[in-house]
Amino acid sequence: MKNEHGKSLLLSVVLFALFIGVWFVATQPKESAQQSAAQDEYAALMGKGAAKSGGFPPPQEIGKAIVTHLSDPFKDNGPNDKGIAIQLGHSLGRVGMGFVLAILVALPLGFTIGMSPLLHRALDPFIQVLKPISPLAWMPLALYTIKDSDLSGIFVIFICSVWPMLINTAFGVANVRKDWLNVARTLEVRPLRKALTVILPAAAPTILTGMRISMGIAWLVIVAAEMLVGGTGVGYFVWNEWNNLALPNVIFAILVIGVVGMALDRCFAGLQKLVSYTE
Amino acid sequence: MAFLHVENLTKSYPGNDAPVFENVNFTIDKGEFVCIIGHSGCGKTTILNALAGLETASDGILTMDGREVAGPGLDRGVVFQSHALMPWMSVIDNVKFGVRSRWPDWRKTQIEAQAAQYLEMVGLGHALQKKPSMLSGGMKQRVGIARAFAIQPKMLLLDEPFGALDALTRGTIQDELLKIVQATAQTVFMITHDVDEAILLSDRILLMSNGPRARIAEIVEVSLPRSRTRHDMHHDPRFYRIRNHLVDFLVSRSKDPKPADETHPPVVRPGETEPAPDTLAA
């Protein structure tokens, strides 16, 4: 088992090295592209200045970008030159706010729907229609009604997080083993205590699964939302660096988004493990 | 006046014209151990659930201790067929859950002590902090029994509690149950499929005919001394007479018992040498 782990790790490292190597070779400046001075000048006039557009950046430039950004993650030199940590902070803040709002709505509502088959059937058409809507489609409506780009971002996170949580909570609550509910009934357990000590722990793994899915979607959506809304956040950072044509910075930001997304997912996996039980 | 009265209990489900069982009548005295035996589908579990208040019968009257049974309550302890322990709670927490429900005003230490005492009684004093998933089927069922006993109910309802256990484990737990019941003079109503188990534990055995329109065809009095044990019971010739009578019923007579309108089933004592007229006629 231990050995298997080591092998897979080794393979990962080899694959990574291979990937970087191919990347490095593919982005070498071409020998045959020796151009005359006149051609250079023409290119410069056409706005394809050789100084900036050296084609796709080679891996060492990404490395340089990573070092530069990570060496000063908290810098704040105006709206277009903020450190990555500050941008991440803004993004995580929005995701956190939207997510907590979604919990506040989805948990009680999911509980109610899960307990009442009547409500479940009544609300199901609405949920089914609202669920597949891309959260970004809400953006214009949010901007128009809320009139605040920051809050609109939070709203978009809320609206995309709420459905998986709601559906999973309702499912988890509705499928609590009848036996456990019967135990509570024969012991004359009051409704609130029953909800907290029987239904909640029984449904917790399913609820956490919903939250984990929600968090994954929220982290996907925040980047797009911030590209649209602008101002701050890691999504805006990507868009801004694209406008600067600073591809190494864009690639750096992509990496950061991936790593943070993975970390968030790990957190929820840990929480899931905490509340799971074996029958 | 008997402790529990069941009068003309009938259960039918909408859409089915024939009721599962009808006109079920029996009584249980305080401190009595009564088993019910019958083939699957005759509604034994429904009768037990009606006594527990978990299901409502379509017709009939249920009274316990002079009061009508309406809904589930702490005066009846239920041991479920599938043990129904909460897997996220430790063994003692499962029992404490019941104790706290029964006596919400008790102090923590008092609840803890009560739960531990009853787990000790079923021989699980060493496994208090274990999760149910770490226990064997027999141990889980013991926790279920401890949980039901710990609330000191007026009556205990057991829904085939040993059905899923192997024969050896079953024997040990039967012995334990017998000991506890004798010590506490608990009133018990139990479903079983096991003829030997019924003879070992019960004072009386209710025999149900097959469903639909099942009813109690006979009430068998177990005339063995109450001090019987699993080890010496089968040396008593009465044991075999009772056993044969039960098996005969299950194999051949349960399909077509005598008069269908019989609401007050005959009481028989097959253990005695003089067979009752009922058995002769059969």
Side-chain angles (χ1 to χ4, degrees), chain B residues 171-245:
Chain B
T172 350
I173 305 190
Q174 281 167 357
D175 281 345
E176 272 163 20
L177 182 66
L178 195 63
K179 236 187 300 167
I180 300 167
V181 167
Q182 280 169 358
T184 53
Q186 182 75 54
T187 313
V188 186
F189 179 77
M190 172 164 147
I191 297 177
T192 180
H193 276 124
D194 184 334
V195 169
D196 294 341
E197 180 173 282
I199 301 172
L200 173 68
L201 296 170
S202 345
D203 299 307
R204 284 185 299 145
I205 301 171
L206 311 180
L207 297 179
M208 273 194 98
S209 65
N210 294 358
R213 293 186 186 282
R215 55 198 179 77
I216 293 177
E218 249 176 45
I219 296 176
V220 174
E221 275 189 14
V222 180
S223 46
L224 298 172
R226 204 72 206 75
S227 57
R228 70 191 91 126
T229 66
R230 207 154 48 88
H231 303 284
D232 62 24
M233 179 173 75
H234 55 272
H235 297 304
D236 192 319
R238 283 173 292 186
F239 168 76
Y240 286 102
R241 285 197 286 267
I242 298 171
R243 192 175 193 284
N244 291 342
H245 183 88

Side-chain angles (χ1 to χ4, degrees), chain B residues 62-263:
Chain B
L62 273 179
T63 53
M64 191 181 85
D65 213 3
R67 265 198 237 148
E68 189 174 4
V69 170
L74 284 157
D75 49 0
R76 281 147 290 151
V78 186
V79 176
F80 295 87
Q81 189 172 6
S82 60
H83 60 76
L85 301 177
M86 321 265 179
W88 57 89
M89 292 184 192
S90 66
V91 163
I92 190 156
D93 284 346
N94 265 291
V95 180
K96 274 158 71 181
F97 183 71
V99 178
R100 191 172 293 123
S101 311
R102 174 75 174 82
W103 297 283
D105 305 330
W106 275 17
R107 274 174 291 112
K108 264 194 171 150
T109 47
Q110 218 171 346
I111 291 171
E112 182 103 26
Q114 173 89 354
Q117 183 202 328
Y118 278 86
L119 280 166
E120 200 78 53
M121 195 173 76
V122 295
L124 281 178
H126 61 282
L128 299 184
Q129 301 304 331
K130 288 208 172 120
K131 287 276 159 67
S133 57
M134 298 161 72
L135 305 181
S136 65
M139 289 162 93
K140 282 182 199 163
Q141 203 50 273
R142 283 183 192 158
V143 180
I145 292 170
R147 178 173 60 188
F149 267 96
I151 62 168
Q152 295 175 350
K154 287 182 189 161
M155 181 161 158
L156 204 60
L157 304 166
L158 301 118
D159 184 0
E160 221 185 305
F162 312 131
L165 305 182
D166 63 273
L168 280 175
T169 318
R170 187 189 297 207
T172 350
I173 305 190
Q174 281 167 357
D175 281 345
E176 272 163 20
L177 182 66
L178 195 63
K179 236 187 300 167
I180 300 167
V181 167
Q182 280 169 358
T184 53
Q186 182 75 54
T187 313
V188 186
F189 179 77
M190 172 164 147
I191 297 177
T192 180
H193 276 124
D194 184 334
V195 169
D196 294 341
E197 180 173 282
I199 301 172
L200 173 68
L201 296 170
S202 345
D203 299 307
R204 284 185 299 145
I205 301 171
L206 311 180
L207 297 179
M208 273 194 98
S209 65
N210 294 358
R213 293 186 186 282
R215 55 198 179 77
I216 293 177
E218 249 176 45
I219 296 176
V220 174
E221 275 189 14
V222 180
S223 46
L224 298 172
R226 204 72 206 75
S227 57
R228 70 191 91 126
T229 66
R230 207 154 48 88
H231 303 284
D232 62 24
M233 179 173 75
H234 55 272
H235 297 304
D236 192 319
R238 283 173 292 186
F239 168 76
Y240 286 102
R241 285 197 286 267
I242 298 171
R243 192 175 193 284
N244 291 342
H245 183 88
L246 295 179
V247 173
D248 277 348
F249 175 84
L250 288 174
V251 172
S252 47
R253 287 189 294 129
S254 63
K255 285 176 226 79
D256 186 29
K258 280 155 295 162
D261 53 28
E262 183 99 64
T263 51

Side-chain angles (χ1 to χ4, degrees), chain A residues 137-211:
Chain A
W138 292 99
M139 198 54 131
L141 215 57
L143 285 169
Y144 179 77
T145 41
I146 305 176
K147 296 187 172 62
D148 180 293
S149 62
D150 213 33
L151 285 180
S152 300
I154 292 171
F155 171 77
V156 166
I157 295 302
F158 162 79
I159 205 84
C160 75
S161 312
V162 84
W163 308 118
M165 272 193 236
L166 184 66
I167 291 163
N168 275 279
T169 306
F171 180 80
V173 168
N175 286 286
V176 172
R177 282 239 325 250
K178 194 102 198 288
D179 278 343
W180 299 333
L181 296 176
N182 277 343
V183 168
R185 282 177 70 197
T186 56
L187 292 173
E188 293 184 49
V189 178
R190 292 190 193 295
L192 185 67
R193 185 164 169 247
K194 183 168 79 180
L196 292 178
T197 56
V198 180
I199 298 173
L200 188 63
T206 325
I207 296 175
L208 250 288
T209 304
M211 288 187 178

Side-chain angles (χ1 to χ4, degrees), chain A residues 201-251:
Chain A
T206 325
I207 296 175
L208 250 288
T209 304
M211 288 187 178
R212 192 172 169 189
I213 297 170
S214 285
M215 184 46 92
I217 296 175
W219 191 242
L220 289 180
V221 165
I222 191 66
V223 175
E226 285 170 346
M227 281 181 173
L228 271 176
V229 172
T232 49
V234 74
Y236 171 70
F237 180 83
V238 172
W239 198 246
N240 197 30
E241 296 303 331
W242 158 241
N243 285 333
N244 294 340
L245 271 181
L247 280 186
N249 290 345
V250 171
I251 294 170

